[in-house]
Structures are given as structure tokens and as C-alpha cells.
Amino acid sequence: MEVEMRKEQVLTRMKEDCLVAVVRAKNKEQGEKVIDAIVAGGINFIEITMTMDEGNPVEFIQFMADKYRNNDKVVIGAGTVLDPETARAVILAGANYVVSPGLNVETIKLCNRYRIPMLPGVMSPTEAITALEAGCDIIKVFPGNVVGPGAISSFKGPLPQGDFMPSGGVDVDNVDKWIKAGACAVGTGSSLTKGAKIGDFAAVTAKAREFVEAVAAARK
């Protein structure tokens, strides 16, 4: 991606793909296998969280960003970013977008400075308005399993200019409800990567394919 177009391209692609895989890696070796399995299943947006059990998540982001640097489909991002210091570290490591479970305006400012999309987590209209005023193009609704798909249409009512992506509680059986409620994309983690817990990475690939098919069907 050209640097000056990176933010716009990432946002456009995220809305086109409509699916972000959230990866909470146990360690580098396991995390790489999970991500490779997800990519093999057709999901291109990978959100690597800062909550690894073992190892340095920033170094892991850099490792995966380097691995997929010549792949024009796969887009590596960072999740569970709580502050601007961490945001800067993951951006320099190669993250093409930054996601947080909460709203931190200073983190948004830092990402804007580097022209990197920042998706803050919100649960209220006040937080959503603050995120829009700070320059966020896509807002994460989190935790999705608490608020439910109806939250998207509720946000879109008074804030039709906003783009919202739920994360948490999104699975193959309900992804259509989120999309039909107005979500511009969805984030999914545990239901996608469940097979990795027992080393069944083929199951992760199969589940990724199910998600891709379910999203495509919901968007028709």
C-alpha cells in the first residue's frame, strides 16, 4: 500500500471484506499457525491483540506484518490497545490499524498523527459522538454480546453518519443479524479460533470459510 493512501485503502478494504479476525495468541508459534489457518480460510483482516500469554505481542505483530508484507490481501492490525504509547509501538511494528476495547482520545490523536485507522470501543451515544469528533471512521461496538445486534441500528438512528463494527459475541449463527442491523464490518474471535485450543487448525480454516460464506450471504 502507498503510505499516503494507506488509511483510506485500509478502511475501504475493511468495509469490503466486512470481517475481522481477532487473534489472542498463546505464543508466537501457536499464533502464527492460527493466523495462517484463518488466512487459508479466506479472512484477510487479522487483529492481533496485546494479550498474549507468552512472548512480546509487539514483536509478534512485527513478525506477522513482515511475513505478509508481500501479500496484497492480508492486513495486519493490533487489538486491545489501551494507550497512545502502545499505539505508537504497534504502528512502528507494522500494524495497519489499531483497535481498542475502550475510548481514549489521546490514542485516537496518536493514530491520526500517523494516519492509521483507530477503532475505539464504545457502548454509549456519548462515547460514539466523542469518537466521531476525534476523527474515527469506524467505531467498535463492544462488547457485542452485551448490547446485541439491535445496538447497531440504535446507534445508526441518531448517528447515520457513523460506521459501526461489533466485536465480542459475533458467531456464524448471528453474523447476519449484525450486518442486517447496519454493521459495516464485524469482528470475531473465540468462536472462530476455538479449534486452535486443541491444535485443530484445520477446524479454524473451516470455520473461517463458514464466516466468509455467512457474511456474503447476509450482504446479498
Side-chain angles (χ1 to χ4, degrees):
M1 298 180 186
E2 297 178 4
V3 173
E4 64 270 19
M5 289 296 292
R6 180 166 59 182
K7 182 175 183 179
E8 288 75 14
Q9 287 180 339
V10 170
L11 291 167
T12 298
R13 281 276 316 282
M14 186 177 288
K15 293 176 185 178
E16 288 174 350
D17 282 28
C18 199
L19 192 53
V20 177
V22 182
V23 177
R24 299 188 185 280
K26 179 179 180 181
N27 52 46
K28 177 182 174 181
E29 291 72 26
Q30 185 256 14
E32 182 181 10
K33 290 178 181 177
V34 171
I35 291 171
D36 289 347
I38 291 170
V39 171
I43 299 178
N44 299 311
F45 274 77
I46 309 296
E47 176 191 327
I48 299 172
T49 72
M50 299 300 292
T51 50
M52 285 179 69
D53 293 339
E54 306 164 13
N56 186 318
V58 176
E59 291 178 0
F60 180 55
I61 287 171
Q62 183 168 15
F63 172 74
M64 294 309 303
D66 288 343
K67 176 171 181 173
Y68 282 100
R69 191 170 304 282
N70 295 322
N71 186 316
D72 60 2
K73 290 186 177 181
V74 176
V75 186
I76 302 293
T80 325
V81 176
L82 307 180
D83 50 62
E85 293 81 8
T86 304
R88 183 174 186 275
V90 298
I91 290 169
L92 295 179
N96 283 302
Y97 59 97
V98 172
V99 187
S100 177
L103 177 65
N104 182 305
V105 174
E106 293 305 314
T107 301
I108 298 171
K109 289 180 180 179
L110 185 285
C111 292
N112 287 341
R113 187 177 305 143
Y114 286 90
R115 290 188 50 72
I116 294 291
M118 201 282 147
L119 287 67
V122 309
M123 282 192 73
S124 72
T126 298
E127 290 178 325
I129 291 169
T130 299
L132 288 171
E133 290 176 342
C136 292
D137 295 278
I138 297 178
I139 299 168
K140 172 180 170 179
V141 176
F142 180 81
N145 57 319
V146 172
V147 296
I152 302 295
S153 51
S154 294
F155 275 120
K156 295 285 284 185
L159 300 171
Q161 72 275 29
D163 282 321
F164 298 90
M165 181 189 83
S167 188
V170 178
D171 57 41
V172 170
D173 296 328
N174 66 22
V175 68
D176 62 320
K177 295 181 176 64
W178 289 104
I179 292 173
K180 290 174 181 176
C184 72
V186 297
T188 182
S190 57
S191 67
L192 169 64
T193 60
K194 185 165 55 177
K197 292 183 178 180
I198 57 173
D200 188 354
F201 298 101
V204 176
T205 297
K207 183 62 70 173
R209 290 197 181 106
E210 286 184 41
F211 263 104
V212 171
E213 292 170 1
V215 167
R219 300 181 81 187
K220 289 182 179 179

